[in-house]
Amino acid sequence: MSAPARPESVALLEKFVAALAARGLVTEQEIADRQASTDRASPEIGARMVARAWLDEGYRRLLLANGAAAAEQMGVSMAGAPPLGVLEDRPGLHHLVVCTLCSCYPRAVLGYPPHWYKSFEYRARAVREPRAVLAEWGTVLPPATQIRVVDSTADYRWMVLPMRPAGTEGWSEDQLTAIVTRDALVGVALPRLPVAAAAE
Amino acid sequence: MSDVPAPAIHDLGGASRYRCSPVERDEAPPDDFGKRVDAIRQILAQKGFMTVDELRRGIESIPEAEYFTLTYYERWLTSISNLMVEKGVIPAEELR
């Protein structure tokens, strides 16, 4: 668990809000509205972009050429957001995304970054021992598979377009969206078939 | 080797001190404190009071001892509140 903010930080936050509010710079309503809109962004958006790319070659090309434009096509506003790059996995090549300097993350299409993405351990180790990090997620790639680790920055955000798993032939966009997890979009995991579907 | 400067504190890529530490798999969304700080940051950015690069500069200039004891959103709050004082948007006294 990430530690809760210390009481002095909670007090500082309230003094800060009061100082801003006294000058008409923020209101509680604005804060609540902004929080609600931020809460609405979720990895399901990125998952649907991946599913669509698996089904629609034209969309796949757009996604790889201009991730932000592909996100806009899904109804996501990318105004003011940095460009979104999309990294396509293929046989023998896997991508993993990290922000070594802090926590840069394509929030418009994946929502809040999880705590572990922002942790000192992930930031330090993803670039040095990616296989060991992946193993902690149960992701073990063949030794011959190259792992390309890409650093998201304040000016350019990345997400992964994983390979479509075998056994998903004929699946709908909704079915495919459901197997693309946030972890798969960061590259720490692969899309997996539910056990029941895999057994069919 | 000796003329290679030590990396800045936030430049953690490859840092060997974390080599043997597993990644703590905390999946919880930010708590209310974090979400509130984040919302205020977005509002101030949208209104032109600060940029993401200024936020970064504020975080990256937190002294090392503090950097590693503050939580993630405490580092953000430190940066944002310092920036607003620095820019004369609010007086420092009101934060004491």
Side-chain angles (χ1 to χ4, degrees), chain B residues 10-82:
Chain B
H10 64 281
D11 189 1
L12 288 178
S16 52
R17 63 197 281 193
Y18 296 103
R19 197 84 199 259
C20 297
S21 317
V23 179
E24 193 189 356
R25 292 279 292 283
D26 183 349
E27 302 287 347
D31 59 13
D32 289 343
F33 174 86
K35 288 185 178 187
R36 199 163 159 78
V37 171
D38 183 51
I40 293 162
R41 175 197 60 86
Q42 292 185 50
I43 293 165
L44 292 175
Q46 190 184 35
K47 294 186 176 181
F49 287 100
M50 56 176 284
T51 66
V52 68
D53 295 312
E54 289 172 318
L55 171 72
R56 284 188 53 192
R57 197 256 298 162
I59 295 171
E60 292 164 11
S61 58
I62 294 172
E64 180 166 350
E66 236 185 299
Y67 186 90
F68 290 104
T69 48
L70 296 177
T71 66
Y72 179 79
Y73 287 106
E74 284 177 328
R75 293 196 293 274
W76 279 32
L77 175 62
T78 301
S79 171
I80 299 165
S81 57
N82 285 343

XYZ file of all heavy atoms in Angstrom, chain B residues 10-82:
594
model
N 16.018 12.327 -9.252
C 14.824 11.752 -9.879
C 15.167 10.824 -11.025
O 14.299 10.120 -11.528
C 13.931 12.886 -10.392
C 14.587 13.692 -11.473
N 15.525 14.653 -11.208
C 14.463 13.633 -12.815
C 15.946 15.177 -12.350
N 15.320 14.566 -13.336
N 16.433 10.811 -11.442
C 16.845 10.047 -12.625
C 17.134 8.612 -12.195
O 18.273 8.216 -11.988
C 18.084 10.715 -13.236
C 18.448 10.128 -14.581
O 17.737 9.215 -15.053
O 19.459 10.572 -15.163
N 16.066 7.829 -12.037
C 16.192 6.525 -11.388
C 16.440 5.367 -12.348
O 16.629 4.239 -11.919
C 14.924 6.233 -10.572
C 14.789 7.066 -9.287
C 13.483 6.731 -8.585
C 15.960 6.778 -8.351
N 16.402 5.626 -13.660
C 16.570 4.538 -14.617
C 17.866 3.777 -14.364
O 18.941 4.354 -14.418
N 17.742 2.485 -14.042
C 18.923 1.659 -13.842
C 19.562 1.766 -12.472
O 20.538 1.068 -12.185
N 19.032 2.620 -11.598
C 19.657 2.810 -10.273
C 19.806 1.474 -9.544
O 18.833 0.752 -9.359
C 18.829 3.783 -9.438
N 21.032 1.166 -9.149
C 21.289 -0.169 -8.609
C 20.727 -0.368 -7.205
O 20.537 -1.489 -6.764
C 22.789 -0.460 -8.621
O 23.464 0.591 -7.984
N 20.414 0.727 -6.519
C 19.934 0.570 -5.133
C 18.610 -0.181 -5.057
O 18.234 -0.679 -4.012
C 19.796 1.938 -4.453
C 18.776 2.828 -5.129
C 18.938 4.272 -4.720
N 18.381 4.574 -3.419
C 18.190 5.808 -2.962
N 18.543 6.834 -3.711
N 17.670 6.023 -1.790
N 17.883 -0.251 -6.179
C 16.586 -0.954 -6.161
C 16.666 -2.347 -6.769
O 15.656 -3.021 -6.921
C 15.526 -0.124 -6.891
C 15.285 1.173 -6.178
C 15.813 2.360 -6.653
C 14.586 1.193 -4.973
C 15.633 3.546 -5.952
C 14.407 2.369 -4.269
C 14.936 3.538 -4.767
O 14.763 4.700 -4.069
N 17.877 -2.769 -7.084
C 18.084 -4.016 -7.816
C 17.386 -5.215 -7.170
O 16.859 -6.068 -7.849
C 19.595 -4.266 -7.918
C 20.000 -5.279 -8.966
C 20.117 -4.626 -10.323
N 20.061 -5.638 -11.372
C 21.117 -6.105 -12.016
N 22.312 -5.631 -11.764
N 20.972 -7.030 -12.940
N 17.419 -5.289 -5.863
C 16.886 -6.486 -5.196
C 15.494 -6.259 -4.608
O 14.997 -7.086 -3.855
C 17.840 -6.955 -4.105
S 19.430 -7.440 -4.782
N 14.867 -5.152 -4.955
C 13.550 -4.873 -4.384
C 12.461 -5.174 -5.401
O 12.447 -4.587 -6.479
C 13.434 -3.402 -3.992
O 14.600 -2.970 -3.359
N 11.555 -6.077 -5.058
C 10.443 -6.327 -5.980
C 9.574 -5.087 -6.122
O 9.555 -4.230 -5.247
C 9.671 -7.472 -5.324
C 10.136 -7.540 -3.913
C 11.475 -6.861 -3.827
N 8.867 -5.013 -7.231
C 7.936 -3.909 -7.441
C 6.697 -4.182 -6.601
O 6.088 -5.243 -6.719
C 7.547 -3.788 -8.934
C 6.548 -2.647 -9.131
C 8.780 -3.576 -9.797
N 6.371 -3.249 -5.736
C 5.194 -3.442 -4.885
C 3.944 -3.263 -5.731
O 3.709 -2.190 -6.290
C 5.230 -2.432 -3.740
C 4.249 -2.765 -2.651
C 4.123 -1.636 -1.627
O 4.859 -0.642 -1.740
O 3.295 -1.770 -0.728
N 3.142 -4.308 -5.812
C 2.017 -4.308 -6.758
C 0.784 -3.669 -6.153
O -0.230 -4.323 -5.923
C 1.737 -5.746 -7.189
C 2.848 -6.327 -8.034
C 2.720 -5.864 -9.468
N 1.531 -6.473 -10.028
C 1.453 -7.741 -10.421
N 2.510 -8.511 -10.348
N 0.337 -8.226 -10.901
N 0.883 -2.397 -5.919
C -0.247 -1.675 -5.350
C -1.145 -1.202 -6.488
O -0.739 -0.388 -7.308
C 0.297 -0.483 -4.553
C -0.801 0.299 -3.866
O -1.984 0.054 -4.155
O -0.459 1.169 -3.043
N -2.344 -1.721 -6.547
C -3.258 -1.406 -7.645
C -4.308 -0.372 -7.246
O -5.194 -0.040 -8.036
C -3.975 -2.678 -8.118
C -3.048 -3.793 -8.574
C -2.388 -3.516 -9.928
O -2.847 -2.589 -10.616
O -1.416 -4.203 -10.258
N -4.256 0.103 -6.014
C -5.293 1.015 -5.535
C -5.245 2.341 -6.312
O -4.163 2.832 -6.617
C -5.104 1.287 -4.048
N -6.400 2.902 -6.638
C -6.397 4.224 -7.257
C -5.891 5.255 -6.245
O -5.827 4.957 -5.044
C -7.861 4.465 -7.612
C -8.652 3.566 -6.729
C -7.759 2.403 -6.387
N -5.537 6.442 -6.704
C -5.099 7.460 -5.751
C -6.179 7.702 -4.695
O -7.368 7.553 -4.983
C -4.929 8.711 -6.626
C -4.832 8.227 -8.026
C -5.564 6.926 -8.091
N -5.757 8.048 -3.488
C -6.743 8.357 -2.440
C -7.281 9.774 -2.666
O -6.889 10.458 -3.623
C -6.123 8.183 -1.044
C -4.919 9.073 -0.819
O -4.687 10.001 -1.622
O -4.204 8.856 0.172
N -8.169 10.219 -1.785
C -8.809 11.524 -1.971
C -7.784 12.654 -2.013
O -7.923 13.607 -2.786
C -9.827 11.791 -0.855
C -11.053 10.901 -1.013
O -11.244 10.348 -2.118
O -11.816 10.749 -0.041
N -6.760 12.531 -1.165
C -5.706 13.546 -1.153
C -5.059 13.642 -2.543
O -4.915 14.724 -3.106
C -4.652 13.178 -0.088
C -3.451 14.079 -0.075
C -3.459 15.266 0.652
C -2.304 13.748 -0.789
C -2.351 16.102 0.665
C -1.190 14.586 -0.791
C -1.209 15.756 -0.061
N -4.688 12.494 -3.083
C -4.027 12.467 -4.392
C -4.915 13.006 -5.494
O -4.482 13.792 -6.342
N -6.163 12.592 -5.483
C -7.084 13.045 -6.539
C -7.321 14.551 -6.469
O -7.464 15.225 -7.486
C -8.423 12.305 -6.426
C -8.327 10.849 -6.847
C -9.684 10.182 -6.851
C -9.560 8.739 -7.330
N -10.878 8.095 -7.511
N -7.346 15.060 -5.236
C -7.569 16.493 -5.049
C -6.366 17.295 -5.555
O -6.518 18.285 -6.265
C -7.802 16.742 -3.552
C -8.484 18.031 -3.194
C -9.016 17.927 -1.762
N -9.250 19.222 -1.156
C -10.313 19.986 -1.413
N -11.229 19.573 -2.239
N -10.449 21.159 -0.814
N -5.170 16.838 -5.208
C -3.957 17.512 -5.682
C -3.918 17.479 -7.209
O -3.626 18.483 -7.874
C -2.690 16.835 -5.097
C -1.421 17.391 -5.753
C -2.629 17.024 -3.582
N -4.241 16.323 -7.754
C -4.203 16.155 -9.202
C -5.209 17.090 -9.892
O -4.901 17.719 -10.906
C -4.502 14.697 -9.545
C -4.405 14.423 -11.035
O -3.371 14.787 -11.612
O -5.359 13.885 -11.608
N -6.409 17.190 -9.328
C -7.443 18.056 -9.920
C -6.989 19.519 -9.888
O -7.148 20.250 -10.870
C -8.763 17.883 -9.168
N -6.395 19.938 -8.767
C -5.940 21.330 -8.655
C -4.816 21.608 -9.657
O -4.790 22.653 -10.308
C -5.491 21.632 -7.207
C -6.711 21.575 -6.289
C -4.789 22.977 -7.100
C -6.375 21.425 -4.832
N -3.925 20.641 -9.800
C -2.856 20.802 -10.793
C -3.433 21.011 -12.193
O -3.025 21.908 -12.934
C -1.946 19.571 -10.815
C -0.879 19.636 -11.913
C -0.259 18.287 -12.219
N -1.207 17.294 -12.681
C -1.583 17.148 -13.960
N -1.102 17.934 -14.892
N -2.469 16.222 -14.295
N -4.430 20.214 -12.549
C -5.025 20.343 -13.884
C -5.695 21.700 -14.063
O -5.583 22.320 -15.128
C -6.064 19.239 -14.104
C -5.467 17.844 -14.200
C -6.541 16.809 -14.530
O -7.309 16.982 -15.450
N -6.598 15.730 -13.765
N -6.406 22.140 -13.018
C -7.105 23.428 -13.116
C -6.098 24.580 -13.271
O -6.250 25.445 -14.129
C -8.005 23.645 -11.876
C -9.145 22.621 -11.877
C -8.550 25.073 -11.843
C -9.876 22.496 -10.535
N -5.044 24.544 -12.463
C -4.042 25.616 -12.540
C -3.332 25.602 -13.892
O -3.006 26.653 -14.448
C -3.029 25.495 -11.388
C -3.595 25.777 -9.991
C -2.530 25.502 -8.930
C -4.104 27.219 -9.878
N -3.106 24.404 -14.441
C -2.460 24.311 -15.754
C -3.385 24.864 -16.829
O -2.964 25.644 -17.691
C -2.086 22.858 -16.053
N -4.652 24.471 -16.732
C -5.611 24.912 -17.749
C -5.771 26.439 -17.739
O -5.966 27.053 -18.774
C -6.945 24.228 -17.490
C -7.947 24.422 -18.617
C -9.292 23.807 -18.282
O -9.721 23.808 -17.122
N -9.959 23.268 -19.285
N -5.680 27.017 -16.549
C -5.839 28.470 -16.447
C -4.541 29.226 -16.722
O -4.481 30.445 -16.573
C -6.374 28.836 -15.057
C -7.796 28.314 -14.834
C -8.396 28.785 -13.530
C -9.840 28.296 -13.426
N -10.493 28.733 -12.186
N -3.500 28.478 -17.077
C -2.261 29.134 -17.478
C -1.354 29.547 -16.338
O -0.416 30.311 -16.531
N -1.592 29.008 -15.136
C -0.733 29.377 -14.000
C 0.546 28.548 -13.936
O 1.479 28.901 -13.239
C -1.495 29.236 -12.678
C -2.509 30.317 -12.474
C -3.846 30.095 -12.736
C -2.111 31.575 -12.039
C -4.784 31.099 -12.558
C -3.039 32.591 -11.855
C -4.388 32.354 -12.121
N 0.557 27.399 -14.607
C 1.764 26.561 -14.555
C 1.756 25.577 -15.727
O 0.704 25.293 -16.300
C 1.832 25.779 -13.244
C 0.591 24.926 -12.984
S 0.733 23.911 -11.490
C 1.822 22.638 -12.088
N 2.947 25.087 -16.047
C 3.076 24.086 -17.104
C 3.600 22.788 -16.493
O 4.066 22.769 -15.342
C 4.080 24.525 -18.183
O 5.383 24.564 -17.565
C 3.745 25.896 -18.745
N 3.556 21.721 -17.278
C 4.061 20.439 -16.787
C 5.568 20.516 -16.536
O 6.089 19.884 -15.620
C 3.694 19.278 -17.750
C 4.425 19.393 -19.071
C 3.979 17.927 -17.110
N 6.263 21.324 -17.316
C 7.715 21.447 -17.105
C 8.021 22.166 -15.794
O 8.987 21.844 -15.105
C 8.358 22.174 -18.285
C 8.228 21.354 -19.565
O 8.526 20.155 -19.515
O 7.817 21.908 -20.593
N 7.173 23.125 -15.447
C 7.354 23.798 -14.153
C 7.056 22.836 -13.007
O 7.746 22.823 -11.987
C 6.460 25.037 -14.076
C 6.951 26.151 -14.984
C 5.973 27.316 -15.079
O 4.746 27.080 -15.175
O 6.438 28.458 -15.064
N 6.006 22.009 -13.191
C 5.711 20.982 -12.183
C 6.927 20.077 -11.986
O 7.334 19.803 -10.860
C 4.508 20.137 -12.624
C 4.217 18.897 -11.779
C 3.643 19.287 -10.417
C 3.247 17.941 -12.492
N 7.503 19.642 -13.105
C 8.685 18.777 -13.031
C 9.838 19.470 -12.322
O 10.477 18.892 -11.449
C 9.147 18.401 -14.443
C 8.304 17.359 -15.115
C 8.962 16.919 -16.398
N 10.344 16.506 -16.175
C 11.219 16.286 -17.137
N 10.892 16.450 -18.390
N 12.449 15.906 -16.840
N 10.098 20.701 -12.691
C 11.222 21.423 -12.072
C 11.019 21.502 -10.559
O 11.936 21.297 -9.780
C 11.346 22.825 -12.695
C 12.675 23.501 -12.458
C 12.615 24.595 -11.410
N 11.720 25.675 -11.790
C 11.239 26.537 -10.906
N 11.552 26.451 -9.631
N 10.404 27.480 -11.296
N 9.766 21.756 -10.161
C 9.464 21.824 -8.734
C 9.674 20.490 -8.029
O 10.145 20.451 -6.894
N 9.314 19.390 -8.697
C 9.492 18.064 -8.092
C 10.971 17.702 -8.056
O 11.502 17.225 -7.056
C 8.722 16.992 -8.899
C 7.209 17.231 -8.829
C 9.051 15.591 -8.384
C 6.398 16.351 -9.777
N 11.650 17.984 -9.166
C 13.036 17.543 -9.300
C 14.000 18.363 -8.450
O 15.149 17.980 -8.262
C 13.431 17.556 -10.791
C 12.652 16.480 -11.560
C 12.673 16.642 -13.073
O 13.450 17.470 -13.582
O 11.897 15.924 -13.742
N 13.523 19.496 -7.933
C 14.406 20.275 -7.071
C 14.116 20.052 -5.587
O 14.670 20.717 -4.730
C 14.312 21.763 -7.433
O 12.981 22.203 -7.304
N 13.258 19.077 -5.290
C 13.035 18.722 -3.880
C 14.320 18.076 -3.351
O 14.883 17.203 -4.012
C 11.844 17.742 -3.743
C 10.534 18.449 -4.143
C 11.748 17.182 -2.319
C 9.330 17.518 -4.223
N 14.799 18.519 -2.181
C 16.043 17.949 -1.650
C 15.919 16.424 -1.491
O 14.840 15.910 -1.197
C 16.213 18.619 -0.289
C 15.358 19.846 -0.346
C 14.249 19.558 -1.305
N 17.043 15.741 -1.683
C 17.045 14.280 -1.739
C 16.349 13.620 -0.559
O 15.537 12.714 -0.725
C 18.489 13.774 -1.853
C 18.560 12.269 -1.925
C 19.905 11.745 -2.377
O 20.751 12.561 -2.817
O 20.105 10.524 -2.291
N 16.653 14.078 0.647
C 16.081 13.417 1.829
C 14.551 13.477 1.794
O 13.859 12.520 2.124
C 16.599 14.075 3.099
N 14.056 14.632 1.358
C 12.608 14.813 1.298
C 12.004 14.022 0.133
O 10.930 13.443 0.260
C 12.331 16.306 1.069
C 11.450 16.964 2.086
C 11.165 18.393 1.661
O 12.135 19.175 1.532
O 10.005 18.703 1.436
N 12.696 14.031 -0.992
C 12.185 13.368 -2.195
C 11.798 11.925 -1.899
O 10.769 11.434 -2.342
C 13.247 13.406 -3.303
C 12.780 12.881 -4.652
C 12.207 13.738 -5.582
C 12.918 11.529 -4.995
C 11.776 13.278 -6.821
C 12.496 11.063 -6.233
C 11.926 11.936 -7.138
O 11.504 11.458 -8.368
N 12.624 11.249 -1.134
C 12.382 9.829 -0.886
C 11.463 9.562 0.305
O 11.103 8.425 0.554
C 13.711 9.070 -0.743
C 14.441 8.980 -2.057
C 15.541 9.785 -2.314
C 14.007 8.124 -3.064
C 16.207 9.719 -3.540
C 14.658 8.051 -4.291
C 15.764 8.852 -4.530
N 11.091 10.593 1.067
C 10.154 10.343 2.174
C 8.736 10.816 1.841
O 7.774 10.272 2.356
C 10.601 11.045 3.479
O 10.940 12.384 3.177
C 11.784 10.356 4.107
N 8.633 11.804 0.964
C 7.291 12.266 0.591
C 6.615 11.222 -0.291
O 7.274 10.534 -1.058
C 7.384 13.586 -0.187
C 7.938 14.799 0.552
C 8.033 15.996 -0.389
C 7.069 15.140 1.752
N 5.292 11.139 -0.184
C 4.567 10.280 -1.117
C 4.479 11.013 -2.458
O 4.772 12.212 -2.551
C 3.137 9.973 -0.615
O 2.383 11.192 -0.604
C 3.152 9.374 0.780
N 4.067 10.263 -3.455
C 3.998 10.803 -4.816
C 3.221 12.114 -4.880
O 3.728 13.123 -5.388
C 3.343 9.751 -5.707
C 3.159 10.155 -7.146
C 4.224 10.106 -8.036
C 1.918 10.573 -7.613
C 4.052 10.463 -9.363
C 1.746 10.930 -8.936
C 2.816 10.882 -9.806
O 2.624 11.239 -11.115
N 2.003 12.139 -4.363
C 1.199 13.363 -4.479
C 1.632 14.431 -3.486
O 1.348 15.611 -3.680
C -0.301 13.044 -4.368
C -0.820 12.362 -5.617
C -1.112 11.004 -5.629
C -0.978 13.077 -6.808
C -1.565 10.368 -6.789
C -1.425 12.456 -7.970
C -1.720 11.107 -7.956
O -2.151 10.495 -9.108
N 2.346 14.043 -2.439
C 2.961 15.061 -1.572
C 4.066 15.800 -2.348
O 4.250 17.005 -2.191
C 3.542 14.422 -0.311
C 2.480 14.039 0.719
C 3.062 13.336 1.936
O 4.090 12.614 1.787
O 2.506 13.475 3.022
N 4.800 15.069 -3.195
C 5.820 15.738 -4.009
C 5.142 16.715 -4.975
O 5.627 17.820 -5.190
C 6.660 14.704 -4.779
C 7.517 13.829 -3.893
C 8.619 13.097 -4.649
N 8.161 12.088 -5.583
C 7.891 10.820 -5.272
N 8.049 10.389 -4.038
N 7.485 9.976 -6.199
N 4.022 16.311 -5.535
C 3.289 17.219 -6.435
C 2.839 18.468 -5.685
O 3.002 19.579 -6.168
C 2.066 16.508 -7.012
C 2.348 15.611 -8.171
C 3.486 14.885 -8.393
C 1.471 15.329 -9.272
N 3.355 14.168 -9.558
C 2.136 14.416 -10.117
C 0.191 15.751 -9.607
C 1.554 13.929 -11.287
C -0.384 15.260 -10.777
C 0.302 14.362 -11.602
N 2.251 18.262 -4.507
C 1.743 19.405 -3.743
C 2.882 20.355 -3.387
O 2.732 21.578 -3.466
C 1.021 18.925 -2.474
C 0.540 20.038 -1.539
C -0.487 20.954 -2.218
C -0.050 19.448 -0.253
N 4.014 19.788 -2.995
C 5.188 20.608 -2.673
C 5.553 21.476 -3.872
O 5.754 22.695 -3.760
C 6.388 19.703 -2.306
O 6.020 18.898 -1.190
C 7.624 20.514 -1.964
N 5.624 20.851 -5.034
C 5.993 21.585 -6.244
C 4.972 22.671 -6.579
O 5.328 23.824 -6.811
C 6.127 20.596 -7.412
O 6.282 21.300 -8.630
N 3.701 22.277 -6.606
C 2.654 23.214 -7.043
C 2.536 24.403 -6.087
O 2.434 25.557 -6.512
C 1.290 22.495 -7.149
C 1.355 21.367 -8.180
C 0.188 23.477 -7.533
C 0.180 20.400 -8.085
N 2.557 24.120 -4.786
C 2.383 25.224 -3.836
C 3.611 26.142 -3.863
O 3.476 27.371 -3.809
C 2.091 24.693 -2.421
O 3.120 23.836 -1.986
N 4.807 25.546 -3.998
C 6.006 26.391 -4.115
C 5.949 27.271 -5.364
O 6.325 28.450 -5.333
C 7.280 25.536 -4.175
C 7.660 24.972 -2.811
O 7.187 25.453 -1.778
N 8.495 23.955 -2.786
